[in-house]
Amino acid sequence: MATAVISTLDPKSRAAARGMSDIAIRNLFIVPTILFLIVFNIFPLLYSLGYSFTDFRASTNAPANFVGLQNYRELLNDPYIWNNFVVTAKYVIVSVVGQVIVGFGTAMLLNRDIPFKGLITTLLLLPMMLSMAVVGLFWKLLYDPSWGVINWALGLGKFQWLGDPDMALYAVAITDIWMWAPFVMLLSLAGLSAVPKHLYEAAAIDRAGPLYTFFRITLPLVAPILMIAIIFRTMEAFKTFDLAYVLSTQPSTEVISIRLYKMAFQEWQTGRSCALAYIVLIMVLAITNIYVKYLNKVKER
Amino acid sequence: MAAVQTSGERALNRLAIVAVLVITMIFLAPIYWIVATSFKPRNLATTIPPTVVFTPEISPFVKLMTKRSQLREQPTPEEYAAAPWWERMVFDGGEKVVRDGKDQVQWSAYPSRFLNSLIIAVTSTVLAVGMGTFTAYGFSRFKVKGEGDLLFFILSTRMLPPVVVAIPMFLMYRIVGLTDTHIGLIILYTAFNLSFSVWLMKGFIDEIPKEYEEAALVDGYTRMQAFFKIVLPEAATGIAATAVFCFITAWNEYAFALMMTNRRAQTAPPFIPSQVGSGLPDWTVIAAGTFLFLLPVAFFTFLLRNHLLRGMSFGAIRK
């Protein structure tokens, strides 16, 4: 349409002559997204912040009464809620440590002359792309004490994986490790392959031992990317819901998201659950903040 | 000197290869087991020792797609002979296919849940990638006040735990009548994927040299024309990769779907686990449903293999 207009090199007159100004385009491109996120993420959160100070129950028609900080006070003094946080912390530690050991270990092995490396890496990444709820569900059959392949393969007889309250959390974490160790592997591999080869050659000339090389060369150079993987997985494990909910009904696997879900959608303690949601939200935002700092750090390199 | 390997190093390398193969086999075993179980007759799905060699059959898929009920009495030989091949498979399993008054075969709920997943995932992907590409261009090419804070705000919406967002959204949807609707889930998934799409697309657009558009502007293109005719074609690979990521995320999503839908708009992820009640479920049917559900993702993962790192780090790590 306007292509025929002779262009001048003065940007202001050019913009005025043809089409929209850059500022108008910038706003047109950015503002709808920001508005969309405000309407569908921030506004609901303000809505639930309001409810968190009430005794509202979505299952009844009774009007919500303002109760001030009572919900927050009660939640923070509730030993059961604290126990949910302890369960969550245990889950985060077991599953993230497991993922780092398995993922980083596999990356170390893959960072060599391995035939069909590309194909193997893609195959290893498959579990993390699959739906946690759907594939996680199938682990119920794998863990089954009578017909499970795992007990048969390991010769464990009728070992109770999900049936034993002490074991169930570890069983869920093992499934999580299976799904997400590849994520740590993917990022570690990127870090490992970026370590300059001449550093290893120099270390070899200096007759540095393998341990020295690992702790003084490999680890420090991979650390920033590894940290991204660890923080991200920590955050995801802290929020975990799908796997634990699908695999187990044990109280010993009731992580904080499951407690929140039950409080909101099964017990219909809407006001109280909004308060708990806020406590969880603040913790997640704190981790997000750290995560973004590390993301930007890696980006700058 | 790196090319010369001592025998010790060579042995070490061989050991690493064996270890990698073992690890790969362990990681793929559960997926293999899903696929194998989906082709087994029911009585071979739960055996000890596990059945590895068997004649594959497609009866689990027939059972997955049809509504069935327990056989009260064996079909007469005439009935059995008159039935089509797939109905005989259901008879063989001790069940019969449910028909309505007009003798029409009744479908199970699975195909409709699968279709719901498809509609919701595709629509939300188009919306998220579309809006995300515009916004990413805005951030990439223009000065935006408080850019870092805005980008952090956008990313932080992605990190919110689904349950936290779902509680107020459920209350609001109830007022406007969006619970258990396709639109309701599409909005949630679009919001969830939008931030991811902005971050990833910004990385891709940052890589397109500004000079391309500047040359076009000098040639008399408007900024809009330059965006559509120069930037979009250059960003095609990035858009495709972002779209596949968004699709997979929406396709796999469980928590929102569990809380926001129960029938009409329910997607496959909450539906499949709901089929495992108490008692002994028919794992062959569940495996068949899982297998069909995983197929698109497995295919896309293969297509996406060179972009996985980038997508998984929100565009921070490029290769």
Side-chain angles (χ1 to χ4, degrees), chain A residues 7 14 18 22 26 29 33 40 43-44 58 112 125 129 131 133 138 146-147 149 152 178 235 239 281 291, chain B residues 13 27 33-34 46 48-50 134-135 143 159-160 168 172 174 217-218 220-221 223 252 254 297 314:
Chain A
S7 70
R14 201 170 6 121
R18 297 177 282 110
D22 278 3
R26 181 196 73 189
F29 280 11
T33 292
F40 293 109
F43 180 65
R112 294 168 161 269
L125 293 176
M129 304 303 284
S131 168
F138 204 78
S146 307
W147 305 287
V149 182
W152 176 80
W178 170 72
M235 183 160 62
K239 296 190 296 187
L281 181 71
Y291 176 65
Chain B
N13 217 36
F27 267 84
W33 205 243
I34 293 173
T46 47
I48 287 293
F134 284 118
T135 308
K143 269 214 168 66
M159 302 302 172
L160 302 174
M172 292 164 75
R174 221 169 49 158
L217 291 175
V218 170
Y221 279 53
R223 180 63 89 162
N252 286 344
Y254 172 74
V297 177
F314 294 89

Side-chain angles (χ1 to χ4, degrees), chain A residues 34-284:
Chain A
I34 305 283
L35 278 182
F36 190 91
L37 291 174
I38 289 176
V39 171
F40 293 109
N41 272 318
I42 304 308
F43 180 65
L45 288 178
L46 293 177
Y47 194 76
S48 66
L49 181 65
Y51 274 126
S52 75
F53 301 112
T54 68
D55 63 355
F56 181 60
R57 297 178 76 95
S59 56
T60 66
N61 285 324
N65 297 312
F66 182 78
V67 295
L69 288 172
Q70 191 191 326
N71 285 328
Y72 290 93
R73 214 179 303 126
E74 279 177 8
L75 284 168
L76 293 174
N77 287 318
D78 185 341
Y80 292 103
I81 298 291
W82 281 106
N83 187 47
N84 292 128
F85 277 113
V86 170
V87 168
T88 311
K90 224 161 111 184
Y91 178 78
V92 169
I93 292 168
V94 174
S95 100
V96 174
V97 169
Q99 285 163 26
V100 170
I101 293 172
V102 177
F104 192 73
T106 311
M108 289 286 285
L109 288 172
L110 271 175
N111 192 34
R112 294 168 161 269
D113 244 346
I114 304 277
F116 305 109
K117 198 158 139 182
L119 177 69
I120 290 175
T121 313
T122 308
L123 287 176
L124 279 171
L125 293 176
L126 201 51
M128 76 172 177
M129 304 303 284
L130 306 175
S131 168
M132 290 185 96
V134 175
V135 175
L137 173 78
F138 204 78
W139 278 70
K140 250 192 167 158
L141 175 63
L142 303 179
Y143 277 139
D144 194 287
S146 307
W147 305 287
V149 182
I150 294 176
N151 275 355
W152 176 80
L154 300 177
L156 289 175
K158 300 244 170 186
F159 187 77
Q160 298 279 337
W161 288 92
L162 294 163
D164 177 354
D166 293 329
M167 196 59 214
L169 189 73
Y170 294 98
V172 177
I174 288 171
T175 309
D176 197 47
I177 293 169
W178 170 72
M179 290 201 100
W180 290 103
F183 173 82
V184 180
M185 180 199 82
L186 179 67
L187 266 71
S188 307
L189 210 49
L192 286 173
S193 59
V195 178
K197 288 261 178 316
H198 65 83
L199 288 181
Y200 289 125
E201 281 158 20
I205 290 168
D206 291 344
R207 294 174 187 273
L211 274 182
Y212 184 89
T213 315
F214 177 77
F215 283 106
R216 289 303 173 91
I217 298 177
T218 311
L219 207 52
L221 284 168
V222 180
I225 285 188
L226 194 58
M227 273 312 282
I228 286 189
I230 292 172
I231 300 169
F232 188 71
R233 286 316 308 161
T234 302
M235 183 160 62
E236 293 288 308
F238 179 72
K239 296 190 296 187
T240 193
F241 174 80
D242 305 13
L243 258 190
Y245 188 72
V246 167
L247 275 179
S248 162
T249 49
Q250 299 273 4
S252 62
T253 59
E254 197 180 84
V255 290
I256 195 68
S257 291
I258 294 182
R259 179 87 288 270
L260 188 52
Y261 169 71
K262 286 184 177 165
M263 200 186 273
F265 290 98
Q266 290 175 359
E267 298 155 12
W268 294 106
Q269 305 187 46
T270 314
R272 221 166 104 93
S273 65
C274 287
L276 182 56
Y278 256 85
I279 297 172
V280 173
L281 181 71
I282 289 163
M283 298 168 94
V284 169

